[in-house]
Amino acid sequence: MLKKYKKVIFIISAILIILQGAIFFYFRETLVPGFDILTWPIKVMSIVLLPIYILLGIFHLVILLELLKCIPSQTKNPFLLSLGVVLVTVSGITLLSDITILSDIGKEYLYFSVTNEWYMLFGFTLFHFLSLLYIYLISRRLEVEGIKFTDAIHSGNDQMFLSLYQIVGISGFVGFIVTTLFLFNVVDFLTYQSYLTGLLLMLSALVLLPVFLFISYWVIKFRKIAVETWFDELQSRLTVQGISWAMLFGLLTGALGIFLSIIGVTVNLVYWLLMMFFIELTIISVLVILKTRVK
Amino acid sequence: MVMIMKFKNNLRQIRFDAEEMSQQDLADRVGVSRMTIYSIEKEKYVPSALLAFKIAQIFDKKVEEVFYLETEKDVETNAKKI
């Protein structure tokens, strides 16, 4: 389906996103402090935004399901597909963030500066566009024919196993970058530490969402199959090896953390723990991916 | 003195003799991934006893006809022959 209708889906999505951006631009210019009269163009555009979001949400969902279906038969370039799954999931969930930010702007624009909110909205809009463009570009290379997702589990499908760890790896790496930025105070535009910690927890949850969704999809599809057959014996061994190395790393960095606290270096514990968690996820997936190469 | 032993197999030859059965086909029949069969053939992975028996059974052979142990001395002798 994705291959067949990719042009239609992409063209409609691109038009919707451009329209969305134009509406945001108009709103940003019009909705200024002291302007409390909602003119008819503003009302019409607000109504237009709702179907745009619904359509974009449906497209994201359809694309995500189509990408998941491709995983078992994707023998070439499985990383492109895994990256696509992560991008579409995050882009889809940030559609909800857009609505939250718009609602915040609606409540606050009369009294506060909402410049940062507009930047976030434009950033997310660009992200939606780039994610869909990426899917459009890779859809030519997708191998849709072959094994069905539901049949693949019986033989411990290599592509599914690899995709799982690629998704974990991408999420882990992005999470590591985000937490590092917070740990080294690159991100400190908020006044209160508690808000900053809350923001990092929210971003971490967002980063982990593709992993959660992929595992949920896996569990739902294979709920009737015994858990011990989800991975074959080599895959289980690679997983345990990866976890063991990651735990060893955790142990060593834990010792480093104790040493740092002894010599008086203070770090935010939440940031530190989250960063370690994401590094460990990255280590597990990199080790497993490196050993999963099949010629 | 501890004797060093290597776990070897004739799987590739046996597969070839069995009408060139593919790795994927064998993998499907014993319920593992192709990567596992590939790793066993390349001697990067030692299969469990259960899997070894399953593989032997597919080809109607005894386990020791498919898998065997080679001591370091044998390895050296084989290397000299080559």
Side-chain angles (χ1 to χ4, degrees):
Chain A
M1 185 182 162
L2 191 60
K3 264 190 154 175
K4 210 171 171 183
Y5 300 108
K6 66 171 185 178
K7 274 192 180 169
V8 180
I9 291 178
F10 179 70
I11 290 169
I12 297 175
S13 306
I15 292 169
L16 291 177
I17 291 171
I18 291 166
L19 190 62
Q20 193 187 35
I23 292 174
F24 290 161
F25 189 76
Y26 177 80
F27 279 178
R28 198 189 73 157
E29 296 299 308
T30 319
L31 299 175
V32 289
F35 184 85
D36 57 351
I37 306 154
L38 292 178
T39 56
W40 69 266
I42 295 174
K43 284 179 186 171
V44 170
M45 284 181 198
S46 309
I47 294 165
V48 168
L49 270 178
L50 186 68
I52 288 180
Y53 272 109
I54 291 172
L55 264 178
L56 283 176
I58 291 170
F59 282 171
H60 275 78
L61 206 60
V62 168
I63 291 170
L64 182 63
L65 289 173
E66 288 296 315
L67 291 180
L68 289 172
K69 278 184 198 169
C70 293
I71 287 176
S73 44
Q74 187 71 19
T75 48
K76 291 173 193 166
N77 307 314
F79 182 77
L80 294 180
L81 183 58
S82 303
L83 184 62
V85 171
V86 174
L87 283 176
V88 171
T89 309
V90 176
S91 173
I93 206 72
T94 45
L95 285 173
L96 297 174
S97 311
D98 287 5
I99 296 167
T100 313
I101 295 169
L102 272 172
S103 148
D104 277 356
I105 290 173
K107 285 174 198 160
E108 293 176 3
Y109 82 93
L110 280 174
Y111 317 103
F112 307 106
S113 164
V114 285
T115 316
N116 282 340
E117 279 86 345
W118 282 121
Y119 283 145
M120 283 169 81
L121 261 185
F122 283 118
F124 283 152
T125 309
L126 182 67
F127 179 62
H128 302 319
F129 180 76
L130 292 177
S131 303
L132 292 170
L133 179 66
Y134 174 80
I135 298 300
Y136 174 73
L137 293 175
I138 66 155
S139 57
R140 205 159 39 103
R141 297 186 182 186
L142 293 182
E143 290 161 45
V144 285
E145 299 299 325
I147 317 152
K148 283 183 183 172
F149 202 97
T150 39
D151 299 335
I153 197 71
H154 294 290
S155 56
N157 184 276
D158 293 319
Q159 271 62 44
M160 281 169 53
F161 179 72
L162 197 58
S163 290
L164 172 67
Y165 282 101
Q166 283 173 341
I167 291 170
V168 171
I170 296 167
S171 293
F173 183 69
V174 174
F176 163 65
I177 300 287
V178 171
T179 45
T180 308
L181 292 176
F182 274 73
L183 190 68
F184 293 103
N185 292 326
V186 179
V187 182
D188 60 350
F189 59 86
L190 292 175
T191 319
Y192 300 106
Q193 188 64 43
S194 59
Y195 287 151
L196 213 54
T197 308
L199 180 66
L200 181 61
L201 287 171
M202 197 192 73
L203 287 174
S204 300
L206 186 67
V207 165
L208 286 172
L209 196 74
V211 179
F212 176 74
L213 275 180
F214 187 78
I215 292 174
S216 304
Y217 186 74
W218 183 311
V219 170
I220 291 165
K221 283 279 181 187
F222 306 135
R223 64 191 180 279
K224 288 176 185 168
I225 301 166
V227 179
E228 55 269 25
T229 59
W230 286 5
F231 290 157
D232 78 5
E233 57 181 60
L234 177 58
Q235 291 169 343
S236 306
R237 201 179 84 157
L238 291 178
T239 304
V240 171
Q241 271 181 356
I243 292 172
S244 306
W245 280 107
M247 286 180 83
L248 178 67
F249 174 81
L251 203 66
L252 293 174
T253 45
L256 175 72
I258 293 169
F259 173 73
L260 287 176
S261 66
I262 289 170
I263 61 168
V265 179
T266 52
V267 286
N268 185 311
L269 191 63
V270 178
Y271 297 177
W272 173 267
L273 289 175
L274 280 172
M275 190 176 79
M276 288 302 123
F277 173 68
F278 284 118
I279 291 177
E280 288 185 7
L281 281 188
T282 313
I283 289 175
I284 295 170
S285 46
V286 167
L287 288 175
V288 171
I289 290 166
L290 286 177
K291 291 191 173 183
T292 309
R293 282 181 184 169
V294 183
K295 287 167 190 166
Chain B
M1 199 179 100
V2 180
M3 197 179 287
I4 299 168
M5 289 182 158
K6 284 190 91 180
F7 190 86
K8 311 279 281 183
N9 67 75
N10 300 315
L11 191 52
R12 193 167 183 172
Q13 184 60 46
I14 291 170
R15 225 171 22 87
F16 188 77
D17 293 341
E19 296 173 0
E20 294 181 34
M21 184 190 286
S22 69
Q23 286 181 340
Q24 187 63 62
D25 196 13
L26 177 59
D28 291 342
R29 291 174 74 170
V30 294
V32 294
S33 65
R34 192 175 77 82
M35 180 183 70
T36 305
I37 299 297
Y38 165 84
S39 304
I40 294 170
E41 275 188 12
K42 287 276 171 191
E43 288 160 2
K44 288 179 178 174
Y45 174 62
V46 178
S48 66
L50 180 66
L51 181 57
F53 274 98
K54 274 186 185 176
I55 291 171
Q57 206 172 43
I58 293 289
F59 297 107
D60 206 16
K61 289 188 182 294
K62 289 179 180 173
V63 178
E64 54 268 34
E65 289 179 80
V66 186
F67 302 100
Y68 59 96
L69 286 174
E70 198 173 68
T71 56
E72 202 174 42
K73 201 178 172 185
D74 294 335
V75 177
E76 280 172 15
T77 318
N78 287 343
K80 276 178 189 169
K81 276 181 192 172
I82 294 163

